[in-house]
Amino acid sequence: MRLGIVGLPNVGKSTLFNAITKAGAEAANYPFCTIEPNTGVVIVPDERLKVLHEIYNSKKTVYTAIEFYDIAGLVKGASKGQGLGNKFLGHIREAAAIVHVVRCFDDSNVVHVDGSINPLSDIETINTELILADMETLERRLQRTAKSAKSDKSLQGELELLNKINDVLAEGLSARTIAYEISEEEDIFLKSLDLLSYKPIIYAANISEDDAASEGDNEYVKQVRAFAEKEGSEVIVVCAKIEAEISELEDEEKTAFLEELGINESGLDKLIKTSYKLLDLISFLTAGEPEVRAWTIRRGAKAPEAAGKIHTDFQKGFIRAETIAYDKLIECKGNLAQAKEKGLVRSEGKEYVVKDGDVIHFLFNV
């Protein structure tokens, strides 16, 4: 899973990236200090793996991971190549989802590229550039499809959908605003177009340390939440400065530090949970003495697709999946023989939809 972190210059984007990935990307108080996308890999915490590791005394524990891209700051005119626009737009295409860091704090020592703090204006600046780039992409596709549809009536539905999206973009709205009103088949088609404004987005409202314990009172955050609700997007509230401090602490110190500040969970934890929700992802597990491991799949995936995450041969030669819910396995203290006696281990076929926390052993033959 790859997430691209974007935002106007000097909103705390690279500071947040440094904090959550500990990758050490340069963070400076001037525009465009990030030119190439810095990449950091973050392990997804999963207490279930720790428990399974102890039960099986496994030699190896493998967590699933998220890749974060810290993408260069953007300014007005990026869709026409202003600033680092072409690179910015190109790097966004590589991401599964966008994390848009929005400045929701006042600080006279940190300059704002537009001269004043206005979260909605910042959001509009980036969204507008994505929309303009999409309109250019769509114009070419519309011309080709309209021409082909004259002789191929089966393309009429596709043409209507393209025109519908084009009308939405022309109103200054992101393509994602209509995601809730289209069919699954239309959703797959739109994703194939690789429209930037159709990518799922999380708005990360970056607040000051003083507001961290009472984030709900921040007026800037309220504005971002109201906008995201209309668009059907997600919002998390973070303090990049605090995240930077947290990143230097051990786990026990981290918990105590957050409690002292009156914060329930770190920004990274919020971001991971929200990313999984936004992209509709779950994890299934494999466990044994050689290795315990988490595997990320889309919600609704069937057993052969999940098997393919481990190896393509598992999917090609899929026979069945011996499955037990994590909680049930723990009840039996990892004893599969006991679990089978109690009827807790199920033999599932090709149509089984994998659930979050399923512990699975795949049988296959190639």
Side-chain angles (χ1 to χ4, degrees):
M1 176 165 57
R2 295 178 177 180
L3 302 182
I5 302 181
V6 305
L8 292 178
N10 302 334
V11 297
K13 178 175 59 68
S14 292
T15 300
L16 180 63
F17 172 83
N18 289 347
I20 63 179
T21 65
K22 297 184 181 179
E26 183 179 8
N29 184 23
Y30 58 90
F32 309 129
C33 72
T34 307
I35 297 175
E36 295 300 329
N38 294 286
T39 305
V41 178
V42 173
I43 297 300
V44 177
D46 194 331
E47 289 298 320
R48 298 173 299 192
L49 291 186
K50 291 182 181 179
V51 175
L52 291 172
H53 172 83
E54 291 175 4
I55 288 175
Y56 291 106
N57 193 26
S58 303
K59 294 177 181 176
K60 189 177 179 184
T61 300
V62 183
Y63 293 81
T64 191
I66 298 177
E67 276 188 33
F68 286 98
Y69 285 81
D70 178 24
I71 301 174
L74 173 139
V75 294
K76 291 176 182 176
S79 59
K80 301 300 180 185
Q82 294 295 316
L84 298 164
N86 292 330
K87 286 188 175 184
F88 174 91
L89 298 172
H91 294 318
I92 286 182
R93 292 192 193 280
E94 299 172 10
I98 301 167
V99 180
H100 182 172
V101 182
V102 184
R103 180 169 170 175
C104 292
F105 65 89
D106 295 301
D107 187 340
S108 59
N109 294 316
V110 180
V111 298
H112 189 285
V113 72
D114 286 335
S116 62
I117 312 303
N118 187 333
L120 296 187
S121 176
D122 292 359
I123 290 172
E124 183 183 6
T125 295
I126 286 189
N127 281 356
T128 297
E129 297 307 322
L130 301 187
I131 289 167
L132 290 173
D134 284 348
M135 290 180 75
E136 192 175 319
T137 299
L138 212 56
E139 183 181 3
R140 295 192 294 268
R141 182 59 180 258
L142 264 169
Q143 289 174 351
R144 292 200 308 269
T145 304
K147 185 177 180 180
S148 300
K150 290 178 181 178
S151 56
D152 186 353
K153 299 303 179 186
S154 68
L155 291 174
Q156 197 58 43
E158 180 179 312
L159 183 60
E160 289 175 3
L161 181 57
L162 288 171
N163 278 312
K164 182 178 182 179
I165 292 293
N166 197 46
D167 290 343
V168 169
L169 296 176
E171 291 177 26
L173 300 174
S174 298
R176 74 180 71 89
T177 57
I178 69 160
Y180 68 92
E181 61 183 67
I182 61 176
S183 67
E184 185 176 347
E185 186 178 344
E186 289 172 326
D187 174 61
I188 292 170
F189 171 69
L190 285 181
K191 285 176 179 173
S192 74
L193 298 178
D194 202 21
L195 298 177
L196 300 176
S197 71
Y198 195 63
K199 287 185 180 290
I201 190 165
I202 299 168
Y203 293 105
N206 185 19
I207 61 176
S208 69
E209 293 172 282
D210 292 338
D211 286 346
S214 56
E215 60 186 47
D217 296 332
N218 184 300
E219 291 301 321
Y220 295 140
V221 172
K222 290 177 183 177
Q223 293 174 28
V224 175
R225 288 194 189 281
F227 177 86
E229 188 175 349
K230 292 177 184 176
E231 195 184 52
S233 297
E234 297 287 338
V235 177
I236 64 167
V237 181
V238 299
C239 174
K241 284 188 176 181
I242 289 177
E243 294 302 313
E245 293 178 53
I246 291 173
S247 69
E248 301 298 325
L249 303 175
E250 298 297 328
D251 286 345
E252 290 183 8
E253 294 176 315
K254 194 178 298 184
T255 302
F257 181 64
L258 289 173
E259 287 178 357
E260 186 178 328
L261 293 173
I263 302 173
N264 295 325
E265 59 182 342
S266 71
L268 175 58
D269 289 340
K270 290 180 187 177
L271 188 51
I272 289 173
K273 287 179 183 177
T274 306
S275 301
Y276 267 67
K277 177 184 174 185
L278 187 71
L279 295 172
D280 214 15
L281 301 175
I282 62 170
S283 294
F284 74 91
L285 314 171
T286 52
E289 190 270 334
E291 171 184 286
V292 295
R293 184 165 185 162
W295 305 85
T296 299
I297 56 172
R298 64 178 183 83
R299 189 181 302 278
K302 294 181 179 179
E305 184 181 338
K309 292 292 288 186
I310 300 175
H311 199 286
T312 52
D313 284 350
F314 282 33
Q315 185 168 5
K316 290 176 184 175
F318 179 87
I319 299 173
R320 66 178 184 274
E322 292 187 348
T323 307
I324 181 172
Y326 167 80
D327 292 342
K328 299 299 181 184
L329 182 60
I330 299 308
E331 283 178 20
C332 298
K333 297 181 180 177
N335 189 322
L336 274 176
Q338 184 184 121
K340 286 178 180 178
E341 286 178 13
K342 293 183 176 182
L344 299 175
V345 179
R346 310 181 309 278
S347 183
E348 303 288 2
K350 292 182 177 181
E351 295 304 308
Y352 175 68
V353 176
V354 177
K355 297 178 179 60
D356 186 64
D358 276 350
V359 183
I360 306 178
H361 173 67
F362 293 104
L363 282 81
F364 71 103
N365 183 28
V366 176

